PDB file of all heavy atoms in Angstrom:
ATOM      1  N   ASP A  14    -144.847  16.405 271.249  1.00  0.00           N
ATOM      2  CA  ASP A  14    -145.701  16.963 272.308  1.00  0.00           C
ATOM      3  C   ASP A  14    -146.124  18.409 272.017  1.00  0.00           C
ATOM      4  O   ASP A  14    -146.935  18.970 272.756  1.00  0.00           O
ATOM      5  CB  ASP A  14    -144.968  16.927 273.661  1.00  0.00           C
ATOM      6  CG  ASP A  14    -144.645  15.496 274.087  1.00  0.00           C
ATOM      7  OD1 ASP A  14    -145.368  14.585 273.624  1.00  0.00           O
ATOM      8  OD2 ASP A  14    -143.667  15.300 274.837  1.00  0.00           O
ATOM      9  N   LEU A  15    -145.560  19.031 271.000  1.00  0.00           N
ATOM     10  CA  LEU A  15    -145.908  20.425 270.685  1.00  0.00           C
ATOM     11  C   LEU A  15    -147.352  20.506 270.202  1.00  0.00           C
ATOM     12  O   LEU A  15    -147.818  19.634 269.463  1.00  0.00           O
ATOM     13  CB  LEU A  15    -144.965  20.987 269.606  1.00  0.00           C
ATOM     14  CG  LEU A  15    -143.513  21.209 270.042  1.00  0.00           C
ATOM     15  CD1 LEU A  15    -142.606  21.393 268.827  1.00  0.00           C
ATOM     16  CD2 LEU A  15    -143.410  22.427 270.969  1.00  0.00           C
ATOM     17  N   THR A  16    -148.051  21.561 270.604  1.00  0.00           N
ATOM     18  CA  THR A  16    -149.459  21.741 270.217  1.00  0.00           C
ATOM     19  C   THR A  16    -149.593  21.764 268.698  1.00  0.00           C
ATOM     20  O   THR A  16    -150.508  21.191 268.125  1.00  0.00           O
ATOM     21  CB  THR A  16    -149.989  23.086 270.780  1.00  0.00           C
ATOM     22  OG1 THR A  16    -149.585  23.196 272.137  1.00  0.00           O
ATOM     23  CG2 THR A  16    -151.503  23.158 270.687  1.00  0.00           C
ATOM     24  N   TYR A  17    -148.675  22.477 268.048  1.00  0.00           N
ATOM     25  CA  TYR A  17    -148.668  22.562 266.583  1.00  0.00           C
ATOM     26  C   TYR A  17    -147.225  22.384 266.144  1.00  0.00           C
ATOM     27  O   TYR A  17    -146.336  23.052 266.664  1.00  0.00           O
ATOM     28  CB  TYR A  17    -149.196  23.933 266.141  1.00  0.00           C
ATOM     29  CG  TYR A  17    -149.112  24.177 264.641  1.00  0.00           C
ATOM     30  CD1 TYR A  17    -150.069  23.665 263.777  1.00  0.00           C
ATOM     31  CD2 TYR A  17    -148.075  24.929 264.095  1.00  0.00           C
ATOM     32  CE1 TYR A  17    -150.006  23.890 262.412  1.00  0.00           C
ATOM     33  CE2 TYR A  17    -147.989  25.167 262.728  1.00  0.00           C
ATOM     34  CZ  TYR A  17    -148.962  24.649 261.900  1.00  0.00           C
ATOM     35  OH  TYR A  17    -148.887  24.879 260.544  1.00  0.00           O
ATOM     36  N   ARG A  18    -146.994  21.454 265.223  1.00  0.00           N
ATOM     37  CA  ARG A  18    -145.615  21.166 264.841  1.00  0.00           C
ATOM     38  C   ARG A  18    -145.377  21.556 263.381  1.00  0.00           C
ATOM     39  O   ARG A  18    -146.150  21.182 262.507  1.00  0.00           O
ATOM     40  CB  ARG A  18    -145.341  19.667 265.038  1.00  0.00           C
ATOM     41  CG  ARG A  18    -143.875  19.280 264.912  1.00  0.00           C
ATOM     42  CD  ARG A  18    -143.608  17.998 265.687  1.00  0.00           C
ATOM     43  NE  ARG A  18    -144.539  16.936 265.307  1.00  0.00           N
ATOM     44  CZ  ARG A  18    -144.158  15.789 264.741  1.00  0.00           C
ATOM     45  NH1 ARG A  18    -142.890  15.559 264.484  1.00  0.00           N
ATOM     46  NH2 ARG A  18    -145.043  14.859 264.446  1.00  0.00           N
ATOM     47  N   ALA A  19    -144.299  22.329 263.139  1.00  0.00           N
ATOM     48  CA  ALA A  19    -143.928  22.693 261.770  1.00  0.00           C
ATOM     49  C   ALA A  19    -143.461  21.424 261.064  1.00  0.00           C
ATOM     50  O   ALA A  19    -142.545  20.750 261.524  1.00  0.00           O
ATOM     51  CB  ALA A  19    -142.817  23.734 261.792  1.00  0.00           C
ATOM     52  N   ARG A  20    -144.113  21.108 259.956  1.00  0.00           N
ATOM     53  CA  ARG A  20    -143.895  19.832 259.296  1.00  0.00           C
ATOM     54  C   ARG A  20    -142.488  19.651 258.714  1.00  0.00           C
ATOM     55  O   ARG A  20    -141.948  18.573 258.708  1.00  0.00           O
ATOM     56  CB  ARG A  20    -144.920  19.667 258.174  1.00  0.00           C
ATOM     57  CG  ARG A  20    -145.690  18.376 258.267  1.00  0.00           C
ATOM     58  CD  ARG A  20    -146.800  18.330 257.240  1.00  0.00           C
ATOM     59  NE  ARG A  20    -147.770  19.413 257.419  1.00  0.00           N
ATOM     60  CZ  ARG A  20    -148.688  19.723 256.509  1.00  0.00           C
ATOM     61  NH1 ARG A  20    -148.741  19.055 255.378  1.00  0.00           N
ATOM     62  NH2 ARG A  20    -149.544  20.686 256.733  1.00  0.00           N
ATOM     63  N   PHE A  21    -141.925  20.729 258.194  1.00  0.00           N
ATOM     64  CA  PHE A  21    -140.693  20.563 257.406  1.00  0.00           C
ATOM     65  C   PHE A  21    -139.422  20.989 258.138  1.00  0.00           C
ATOM     66  O   PHE A  21    -138.461  21.414 257.528  1.00  0.00           O
ATOM     67  CB  PHE A  21    -140.830  21.325 256.080  1.00  0.00           C
ATOM     68  CG  PHE A  21    -142.014  20.886 255.284  1.00  0.00           C
ATOM     69  CD1 PHE A  21    -143.149  21.679 255.201  1.00  0.00           C
ATOM     70  CD2 PHE A  21    -142.025  19.644 254.653  1.00  0.00           C
ATOM     71  CE1 PHE A  21    -144.260  21.262 254.481  1.00  0.00           C
ATOM     72  CE2 PHE A  21    -143.132  19.214 253.929  1.00  0.00           C
ATOM     73  CZ  PHE A  21    -144.253  20.021 253.850  1.00  0.00           C
ATOM     74  N   PHE A  22    -139.440  20.897 259.479  1.00  0.00           N
ATOM     75  CA  PHE A  22    -138.231  21.240 260.236  1.00  0.00           C
ATOM     76  C   PHE A  22    -137.159  20.171 259.987  1.00  0.00           C
ATOM     77  O   PHE A  22    -137.490  18.994 259.939  1.00  0.00           O
ATOM     78  CB  PHE A  22    -138.562  21.330 261.728  1.00  0.00           C
ATOM     79  CG  PHE A  22    -137.416  21.841 262.551  1.00  0.00           C
ATOM     80  CD1 PHE A  22    -137.246  23.192 262.745  1.00  0.00           C
ATOM     81  CD2 PHE A  22    -136.488  20.965 263.094  1.00  0.00           C
ATOM     82  CE1 PHE A  22    -136.174  23.672 263.481  1.00  0.00           C
ATOM     83  CE2 PHE A  22    -135.409  21.431 263.827  1.00  0.00           C
ATOM     84  CZ  PHE A  22    -135.255  22.796 264.025  1.00  0.00           C
ATOM     85  N   PRO A  23    -135.863  20.515 259.845  1.00  0.00           N
ATOM     86  CA  PRO A  23    -135.269  21.859 259.884  1.00  0.00           C
ATOM     87  C   PRO A  23    -135.183  22.536 258.511  1.00  0.00           C
ATOM     88  O   PRO A  23    -134.772  23.672 258.422  1.00  0.00           O
ATOM     89  CB  PRO A  23    -133.862  21.579 260.414  1.00  0.00           C
ATOM     90  CG  PRO A  23    -133.531  20.228 259.824  1.00  0.00           C
ATOM     91  CD  PRO A  23    -134.840  19.471 259.756  1.00  0.00           C
ATOM     92  N   ILE A  24    -135.582  21.817 257.438  1.00  0.00           N
ATOM     93  CA  ILE A  24    -135.455  22.381 256.096  1.00  0.00           C
ATOM     94  C   ILE A  24    -136.291  23.663 255.949  1.00  0.00           C
ATOM     95  O   ILE A  24    -135.836  24.642 255.366  1.00  0.00           O
ATOM     96  CB  ILE A  24    -135.892  21.330 255.022  1.00  0.00           C
ATOM     97  CG1 ILE A  24    -134.930  20.133 255.040  1.00  0.00           C
ATOM     98  CG2 ILE A  24    -135.928  21.944 253.630  1.00  0.00           C
ATOM     99  CD1 ILE A  24    -133.486  20.470 254.707  1.00  0.00           C
ATOM    100  N   GLY A  25    -137.524  23.658 256.528  1.00  0.00           N
ATOM    101  CA  GLY A  25    -138.436  24.799 256.389  1.00  0.00           C
ATOM    102  C   GLY A  25    -137.824  26.134 256.781  1.00  0.00           C
ATOM    103  O   GLY A  25    -137.685  27.041 255.945  1.00  0.00           O
ATOM    104  N   PRO A  26    -137.407  26.281 258.060  1.00  0.00           N
ATOM    105  CA  PRO A  26    -136.852  27.580 258.465  1.00  0.00           C
ATOM    106  C   PRO A  26    -135.561  27.939 257.725  1.00  0.00           C
ATOM    107  O   PRO A  26    -135.305  29.117 257.455  1.00  0.00           O
ATOM    108  CB  PRO A  26    -136.614  27.426 259.971  1.00  0.00           C
ATOM    109  CG  PRO A  26    -136.726  25.979 260.277  1.00  0.00           C
ATOM    110  CD  PRO A  26    -137.571  25.371 259.207  1.00  0.00           C
ATOM    111  N   ILE A  27    -134.758  26.923 257.364  1.00  0.00           N
ATOM    112  CA  ILE A  27    -133.493  27.203 256.658  1.00  0.00           C
ATOM    113  C   ILE A  27    -133.785  27.753 255.262  1.00  0.00           C
ATOM    114  O   ILE A  27    -133.216  28.773 254.844  1.00  0.00           O
ATOM    115  CB  ILE A  27    -132.599  25.936 256.585  1.00  0.00           C
ATOM    116  CG1 ILE A  27    -132.115  25.558 257.993  1.00  0.00           C
ATOM    117  CG2 ILE A  27    -131.414  26.152 255.642  1.00  0.00           C
ATOM    118  CD1 ILE A  27    -131.434  24.195 258.084  1.00  0.00           C
ATOM    119  N   VAL A  28    -134.715  27.103 254.538  1.00  0.00           N
ATOM    120  CA  VAL A  28    -135.079  27.570 253.191  1.00  0.00           C
ATOM    121  C   VAL A  28    -135.690  28.978 253.271  1.00  0.00           C
ATOM    122  O   VAL A  28    -135.367  29.860 252.481  1.00  0.00           O
ATOM    123  CB  VAL A  28    -136.062  26.576 252.509  1.00  0.00           C
ATOM    124  CG1 VAL A  28    -136.664  27.173 251.245  1.00  0.00           C
ATOM    125  CG2 VAL A  28    -135.337  25.273 252.179  1.00  0.00           C
ATOM    126  N   ALA A  29    -136.587  29.189 254.242  1.00  0.00           N
ATOM    127  CA  ALA A  29    -137.229  30.503 254.395  1.00  0.00           C
ATOM    128  C   ALA A  29    -136.179  31.576 254.683  1.00  0.00           C
ATOM    129  O   ALA A  29    -136.232  32.681 254.129  1.00  0.00           O
ATOM    130  CB  ALA A  29    -138.249  30.450 255.527  1.00  0.00           C
ATOM    131  N   LEU A  30    -135.205  31.237 255.535  1.00  0.00           N
ATOM    132  CA  LEU A  30    -134.133  32.177 255.894  1.00  0.00           C
ATOM    133  C   LEU A  30    -133.323  32.572 254.655  1.00  0.00           C
ATOM    134  O   LEU A  30    -133.068  33.755 254.406  1.00  0.00           O
ATOM    135  CB  LEU A  30    -133.221  31.509 256.932  1.00  0.00           C
ATOM    136  CG  LEU A  30    -132.312  32.405 257.770  1.00  0.00           C
ATOM    137  CD1 LEU A  30    -133.139  33.337 258.634  1.00  0.00           C
ATOM    138  CD2 LEU A  30    -131.414  31.561 258.664  1.00  0.00           C
ATOM    139  N   ILE A  31    -132.957  31.568 253.857  1.00  0.00           N
ATOM    140  CA  ILE A  31    -132.159  31.826 252.644  1.00  0.00           C
ATOM    141  C   ILE A  31    -132.957  32.670 251.646  1.00  0.00           C
ATOM    142  O   ILE A  31    -132.441  33.632 251.072  1.00  0.00           O
ATOM    143  CB  ILE A  31    -131.689  30.496 252.008  1.00  0.00           C
ATOM    144  CG1 ILE A  31    -130.676  29.804 252.934  1.00  0.00           C
ATOM    145  CG2 ILE A  31    -131.074  30.734 250.624  1.00  0.00           C
ATOM    146  CD1 ILE A  31    -130.377  28.349 252.577  1.00  0.00           C
ATOM    147  N   MET A  32    -134.248  32.318 251.454  1.00  0.00           N
ATOM    148  CA  MET A  32    -135.070  33.069 250.502  1.00  0.00           C
ATOM    149  C   MET A  32    -135.252  34.525 250.935  1.00  0.00           C
ATOM    150  O   MET A  32    -135.198  35.439 250.115  1.00  0.00           O
ATOM    151  CB  MET A  32    -136.425  32.394 250.315  1.00  0.00           C
ATOM    152  CG  MET A  32    -136.337  31.112 249.500  1.00  0.00           C
ATOM    153  SD  MET A  32    -137.939  30.280 249.311  1.00  0.00           S
ATOM    154  CE  MET A  32    -138.698  31.264 248.018  1.00  0.00           C
ATOM    155  N   CYS A  33    -135.448  34.742 252.238  1.00  0.00           N
ATOM    156  CA  CYS A  33    -135.564  36.123 252.753  1.00  0.00           C
ATOM    157  C   CYS A  33    -134.276  36.900 252.502  1.00  0.00           C
ATOM    158  O   CYS A  33    -134.300  38.072 252.119  1.00  0.00           O
ATOM    159  CB  CYS A  33    -135.851  36.120 254.250  1.00  0.00           C
ATOM    160  SG  CYS A  33    -137.567  35.818 254.646  1.00  0.00           S
ATOM    161  N   ALA A  34    -133.148  36.228 252.732  1.00  0.00           N
ATOM    162  CA  ALA A  34    -131.844  36.868 252.521  1.00  0.00           C
ATOM    163  C   ALA A  34    -131.683  37.263 251.049  1.00  0.00           C
ATOM    164  O   ALA A  34    -131.189  38.354 250.733  1.00  0.00           O
ATOM    165  CB  ALA A  34    -130.717  35.938 252.956  1.00  0.00           C
ATOM    166  N   ILE A  35    -132.119  36.384 250.137  1.00  0.00           N
ATOM    167  CA  ILE A  35    -132.033  36.683 248.698  1.00  0.00           C
ATOM    168  C   ILE A  35    -132.867  37.927 248.373  1.00  0.00           C
ATOM    169  O   ILE A  35    -132.439  38.816 247.641  1.00  0.00           O
ATOM    170  CB  ILE A  35    -132.504  35.474 247.857  1.00  0.00           C
ATOM    171  CG1 ILE A  35    -131.490  34.323 247.972  1.00  0.00           C
ATOM    172  CG2 ILE A  35    -132.705  35.854 246.387  1.00  0.00           C
ATOM    173  CD1 ILE A  35    -131.970  32.989 247.415  1.00  0.00           C
ATOM    174  N   VAL A  36    -134.078  37.999 248.957  1.00  0.00           N
ATOM    175  CA  VAL A  36    -134.954  39.151 248.704  1.00  0.00           C
ATOM    176  C   VAL A  36    -134.307  40.439 249.213  1.00  0.00           C
ATOM    177  O   VAL A  36    -134.319  41.466 248.533  1.00  0.00           O
ATOM    178  CB  VAL A  36    -136.345  38.944 249.363  1.00  0.00           C
ATOM    179  CG1 VAL A  36    -137.177  40.203 249.256  1.00  0.00           C
ATOM    180  CG2 VAL A  36    -137.077  37.788 248.703  1.00  0.00           C
ATOM    181  N   ILE A  37    -133.715  40.371 250.416  1.00  0.00           N
ATOM    182  CA  ILE A  37    -133.078  41.566 250.991  1.00  0.00           C
ATOM    183  C   ILE A  37    -131.896  42.017 250.139  1.00  0.00           C
ATOM    184  O   ILE A  37    -131.789  43.187 249.765  1.00  0.00           O
ATOM    185  CB  ILE A  37    -132.648  41.304 252.461  1.00  0.00           C
ATOM    186  CG1 ILE A  37    -133.893  41.206 253.345  1.00  0.00           C
ATOM    187  CG2 ILE A  37    -131.723  42.410 252.961  1.00  0.00           C
ATOM    188  CD1 ILE A  37    -133.621  40.805 254.784  1.00  0.00           C
ATOM    189  N   VAL A  38    -131.013  41.076 249.806  1.00  0.00           N
ATOM    190  CA  VAL A  38    -129.832  41.420 248.997  1.00  0.00           C
ATOM    191  C   VAL A  38    -130.256  41.897 247.605  1.00  0.00           C
ATOM    192  O   VAL A  38    -129.672  42.817 247.041  1.00  0.00           O
ATOM    193  CB  VAL A  38    -128.874  40.199 248.883  1.00  0.00           C
ATOM    194  CG1 VAL A  38    -127.737  40.492 247.918  1.00  0.00           C
ATOM    195  CG2 VAL A  38    -128.316  39.845 250.267  1.00  0.00           C
ATOM    196  N   GLY A  39    -131.323  41.275 247.086  1.00  0.00           N
ATOM    197  CA  GLY A  39    -131.769  41.612 245.732  1.00  0.00           C
ATOM    198  C   GLY A  39    -132.556  42.898 245.604  1.00  0.00           C
ATOM    199  O   GLY A  39    -133.012  43.254 244.513  1.00  0.00           O
ATOM    200  N   GLN A  40    -132.734  43.616 246.714  1.00  0.00           N
ATOM    201  CA  GLN A  40    -133.488  44.878 246.676  1.00  0.00           C
ATOM    202  C   GLN A  40    -133.040  45.817 245.553  1.00  0.00           C
ATOM    203  O   GLN A  40    -133.839  46.401 244.864  1.00  0.00           O
ATOM    204  CB  GLN A  40    -133.343  45.626 248.011  1.00  0.00           C
ATOM    205  CG  GLN A  40    -134.326  45.222 249.046  1.00  0.00           C
ATOM    206  CD  GLN A  40    -135.757  45.326 248.578  1.00  0.00           C
ATOM    207  OE1 GLN A  40    -136.238  46.382 248.221  1.00  0.00           O
ATOM    208  NE2 GLN A  40    -136.446  44.199 248.550  1.00  0.00           N
ATOM    209  N   GLY A  41    -131.716  45.955 245.419  1.00  0.00           N
ATOM    210  CA  GLY A  41    -131.209  46.901 244.432  1.00  0.00           C
ATOM    211  C   GLY A  41    -130.892  46.270 243.087  1.00  0.00           C
ATOM    212  O   GLY A  41    -130.231  46.879 242.244  1.00  0.00           O
ATOM    213  N   TYR A  42    -131.394  45.038 242.901  1.00  0.00           N
ATOM    214  CA  TYR A  42    -131.072  44.269 241.688  1.00  0.00           C
ATOM    215  C   TYR A  42    -131.403  45.052 240.408  1.00  0.00           C
ATOM    216  O   TYR A  42    -130.591  45.178 239.507  1.00  0.00           O
ATOM    217  CB  TYR A  42    -131.844  42.947 241.714  1.00  0.00           C
ATOM    218  CG  TYR A  42    -131.485  41.994 240.601  1.00  0.00           C
ATOM    219  CD1 TYR A  42    -130.314  41.242 240.660  1.00  0.00           C
ATOM    220  CD2 TYR A  42    -132.312  41.838 239.493  1.00  0.00           C
ATOM    221  CE1 TYR A  42    -129.982  40.355 239.640  1.00  0.00           C
ATOM    222  CE2 TYR A  42    -131.992  40.951 238.475  1.00  0.00           C
ATOM    223  CZ  TYR A  42    -130.823  40.225 238.551  1.00  0.00           C
ATOM    224  OH  TYR A  42    -130.486  39.349 237.544  1.00  0.00           O
ATOM    225  N   SER A  43    -132.613  45.618 240.359  1.00  0.00           N
ATOM    226  CA  SER A  43    -133.033  46.336 239.145  1.00  0.00           C
ATOM    227  C   SER A  43    -132.194  47.593 238.938  1.00  0.00           C
ATOM    228  O   SER A  43    -131.941  47.998 237.804  1.00  0.00           O
ATOM    229  CB  SER A  43    -134.518  46.694 239.220  1.00  0.00           C
ATOM    230  OG  SER A  43    -134.778  47.440 240.398  1.00  0.00           O
ATOM    231  N   ILE A  44    -131.737  48.204 240.050  1.00  0.00           N
ATOM    232  CA  ILE A  44    -130.899  49.418 239.928  1.00  0.00           C
ATOM    233  C   ILE A  44    -129.544  49.043 239.325  1.00  0.00           C
ATOM    234  O   ILE A  44    -129.051  49.706 238.405  1.00  0.00           O
ATOM    235  CB  ILE A  44    -130.704  50.102 241.316  1.00  0.00           C
ATOM    236  CG1 ILE A  44    -132.062  50.514 241.898  1.00  0.00           C
ATOM    237  CG2 ILE A  44    -129.784  51.324 241.205  1.00  0.00           C
ATOM    238  CD1 ILE A  44    -132.032  50.928 243.350  1.00  0.00           C
ATOM    239  N   PHE A  45    -128.957  47.935 239.817  1.00  0.00           N
ATOM    240  CA  PHE A  45    -127.645  47.498 239.306  1.00  0.00           C
ATOM    241  C   PHE A  45    -127.723  47.066 237.839  1.00  0.00           C
ATOM    242  O   PHE A  45    -126.853  47.369 237.046  1.00  0.00           O
ATOM    243  CB  PHE A  45    -127.083  46.343 240.149  1.00  0.00           C
ATOM    244  CG  PHE A  45    -126.600  46.784 241.509  1.00  0.00           C
ATOM    245  CD1 PHE A  45    -127.149  46.260 242.674  1.00  0.00           C
ATOM    246  CD2 PHE A  45    -125.586  47.736 241.632  1.00  0.00           C
ATOM    247  CE1 PHE A  45    -126.703  46.666 243.928  1.00  0.00           C
ATOM    248  CE2 PHE A  45    -125.139  48.147 242.889  1.00  0.00           C
ATOM    249  CZ  PHE A  45    -125.692  47.619 244.028  1.00  0.00           C
ATOM    250  N   THR A  46    -128.812  46.337 237.502  1.00  0.00           N
ATOM    251  CA  THR A  46    -128.904  45.816 236.135  1.00  0.00           C
ATOM    252  C   THR A  46    -129.275  46.894 235.116  1.00  0.00           C
ATOM    253  O   THR A  46    -129.097  46.705 233.922  1.00  0.00           O
ATOM    254  CB  THR A  46    -129.938  44.665 236.048  1.00  0.00           C
ATOM    255  OG1 THR A  46    -131.162  45.109 236.654  1.00  0.00           O
ATOM    256  CG2 THR A  46    -129.448  43.421 236.763  1.00  0.00           C
ATOM    257  N   SER A  47    -129.811  48.030 235.607  1.00  0.00           N
ATOM    258  CA  SER A  47    -130.191  49.091 234.657  1.00  0.00           C
ATOM    259  C   SER A  47    -128.959  49.790 234.077  1.00  0.00           C
ATOM    260  O   SER A  47    -129.039  50.481 233.073  1.00  0.00           O
ATOM    261  CB  SER A  47    -131.084  50.132 235.340  1.00  0.00           C
ATOM    262  OG  SER A  47    -130.329  50.842 236.307  1.00  0.00           O
ATOM    263  N   GLY A  48    -127.813  49.611 234.755  1.00  0.00           N
ATOM    264  CA  GLY A  48    -126.572  50.226 234.262  1.00  0.00           C
ATOM    265  C   GLY A  48    -126.391  51.661 234.732  1.00  0.00           C
ATOM    266  O   GLY A  48    -125.292  52.204 234.732  1.00  0.00           O
ATOM    267  N   ASP A  49    -127.489  52.288 235.186  1.00  0.00           N
ATOM    268  CA  ASP A  49    -127.400  53.672 235.658  1.00  0.00           C
ATOM    269  C   ASP A  49    -127.640  53.669 237.165  1.00  0.00           C
ATOM    270  O   ASP A  49    -128.769  53.722 237.635  1.00  0.00           O
ATOM    271  CB  ASP A  49    -128.462  54.529 234.942  1.00  0.00           C
ATOM    272  CG  ASP A  49    -128.443  55.986 235.419  1.00  0.00           C
ATOM    273  OD1 ASP A  49    -127.371  56.424 235.879  1.00  0.00           O
ATOM    274  OD2 ASP A  49    -129.488  56.653 235.339  1.00  0.00           O
ATOM    275  N   VAL A  50    -126.550  53.540 237.940  1.00  0.00           N
ATOM    276  CA  VAL A  50    -126.680  53.406 239.392  1.00  0.00           C
ATOM    277  C   VAL A  50    -126.852  54.783 240.026  1.00  0.00           C
ATOM    278  O   VAL A  50    -125.938  55.608 240.043  1.00  0.00           O
ATOM    279  CB  VAL A  50    -125.459  52.666 240.000  1.00  0.00           C
ATOM    280  CG1 VAL A  50    -125.616  52.542 241.503  1.00  0.00           C
ATOM    281  CG2 VAL A  50    -125.317  51.287 239.366  1.00  0.00           C
ATOM    282  N   ASN A  51    -128.055  55.004 240.553  1.00  0.00           N
ATOM    283  CA  ASN A  51    -128.373  56.261 241.227  1.00  0.00           C
ATOM    284  C   ASN A  51    -128.186  56.065 242.734  1.00  0.00           C
ATOM    285  O   ASN A  51    -128.906  55.287 243.355  1.00  0.00           O
ATOM    286  CB  ASN A  51    -129.829  56.637 240.903  1.00  0.00           C
ATOM    287  CG  ASN A  51    -130.257  57.914 241.600  1.00  0.00           C
ATOM    288  OD1 ASN A  51    -129.633  58.355 242.560  1.00  0.00           O
ATOM    289  ND2 ASN A  51    -131.337  58.501 241.110  1.00  0.00           N
ATOM    290  N   PRO A  52    -127.197  56.753 243.356  1.00  0.00           N
ATOM    291  CA  PRO A  52    -126.911  56.543 244.789  1.00  0.00           C
ATOM    292  C   PRO A  52    -128.133  56.749 245.680  1.00  0.00           C
ATOM    293  O   PRO A  52    -128.329  56.029 246.656  1.00  0.00           O
ATOM    294  CB  PRO A  52    -125.829  57.599 245.095  1.00  0.00           C
ATOM    295  CG  PRO A  52    -125.226  57.935 243.775  1.00  0.00           C
ATOM    296  CD  PRO A  52    -126.298  57.757 242.761  1.00  0.00           C
TER     297      PRO A  52
END
């Protein structure tokens, strides 16, 4: 009955949530891998 229905529920929001979390945690990835961690 929803006007617009998200096709891939519940996988869609779960995958998007996990991918966003990876991006957030990975923010400092290049800093850690460079070996020279600048606070």
Side-chain angles (χ1 to χ4, degrees):
D14 298 335
L15 291 164
T16 314
Y17 175 81
R18 190 155 52 117
R20 233 173 299 168
F21 303 105
F22 187 88
I24 295 299
I27 293 170
V28 168
L30 199 63
I31 293 167
M32 287 178 79
C33 280
I35 291 169
V36 173
I37 290 174
V38 173
Q40 274 305 300
Y42 187 78
S43 56
I44 300 168
F45 287 120
T46 51
S47 68
D49 179 26
V50 180
N51 178 342

